[in-house]
Amino acid sequence: MLDMELIRKDREAVASALAKRLDPAEVTRALDEIQQLDQDRRALISAIDAERQRRKAEARAYAAAKRAGAEPEVSAPEAGRKQLAELEAELDEVQSRLRTSMSELPNLPADDVVPGGKEANRVVKVFGEPPKIEKVRDHVELSRALGLVDHERGVKLGGSGFWMYTGWGARLEWALINWFVDRHVAAGYEFLLPPHLLLHSAGFAAGQFPKFHDDVYHLDRESAPRGQFLLPTSETAILGAYQDEILDPAKLPLKAFAYTPCYRRESAGSHSDERGTVRGHQFNKVEIFQFTLPEQADAALAEMLAHAESLVEGLGLHYQRSLLSAGDASASMRKTLDIEVWMPSTGKYKEVSSVSWAGDYQARRAAIRYKEPGGKQTRFVHTLNGSALATSRLFPAILEQFQQPDGSVLVPEVLRDRLGTDRLVPPGR
């Protein structure tokens, strides 16, 4: 969430940044409400402090009169308890409303992030060229012909939006994940395997709750009374693992990564752009994450972006990098750059990685701080995350970009030793 002090001191700058994402009238209403609640909160705190001081003075006078054997001219100390309790209850309500209103505000986009939706995204890098394929077959046709993915049995098992990797397809999927793991370990990231069930606090910390509460799978309250849900991305788990902690600044940046399946309620697409494994309710992803000092964030973003791109380049895939507009990026992020691979069957690019900088937005929600050497005050860390990589779109891109006229698919060189073959061929050949 945002810094309340920043809203107090420079509302105009906050409003201008938020207007990149929200309607200006909506921004005005939200900030008016927040500032009024903040004023009410501070007034109630002052009233409570004054009431406590009054009660202390009355209590001292009452006790002194009793010791002197005189009849007290002030009421007994218990007389003011009801008024104090009412003020404290009112403060609790105002603080709860303020916290809710603050938590619903998106992050402030970085200065170089423009307003708008997908139409305002800007391509800032292109790697390689689209492969020249005389007769393009799409990844669904290829995966079926090569026996790599069983879509029908996946639906039989999980319903629409699920699939099952089989044979060489399962081995290719696993080879990708293991190659990513090796590359991240070599780059200094700590490997984590977190729980797939998370508490509500982790979703709030990441900025997914309350706005996107309905986009994830929740367990029913009878079986999960603490309100658990299936993680939609391991970003949520890595961030949540450090909630309410004060990190050692000497150990920052703290670099971690995790492999998990990701579970999302978003609709599986029937459009040609989203057929097969391109969009579904469960997919595999390796996520990299960094906790940094504020002054380390720019370098960390550049390093994470270069690292994620090195994976796509290592596979030999043609891709582009896009700087997302404010309206197309996650509401929790100040800046996001997408790595998008070329899909020959549709003539379009599909995102396989988003590398993002959240500033201190998530750290405020998660209360993740650091203490400056020799200082007593704590400050919030900055957080960054990046897909490295999501396989459900990378897998189709490999099939389509490396397809051959004879129906086979070349295996990327970096995966050949892991698979024990340089080519995927139809069963029986």
Side-chain angles (χ1 to χ4, degrees), residues 317-332:
L317 293 169
H318 165 56
Y319 74 90
Q320 67 180 21
R321 180 207 302 169
S322 295
L323 173 62
L324 300 193
S325 67
D328 197 32
S330 166
S332 300

Side-chain angles (χ1 to χ4, degrees), residues 267-275 279:
S267 299
S270 58
H271 192 272
S272 61
D273 287 2
E274 298 182 345
R275 295 178 64 230
R279 185 179 296 275

Side-chain angles (χ1 to χ4, degrees), residues 205-241:
Q208 290 149 355
F209 299 163
K211 186 173 182 180
F212 301 106
H213 183 271
D214 294 337
D215 290 352
V216 302
Y217 289 100
H218 296 271
L219 275 67
D220 64 85
R221 286 287 179 174
E222 184 176 346
S223 60
R226 296 187 67 189
Q228 291 163 302
F229 64 98
L230 283 168
L231 61 75
T233 167
S234 50
E235 169 201 339
T236 315
I238 299 172
L239 175 74

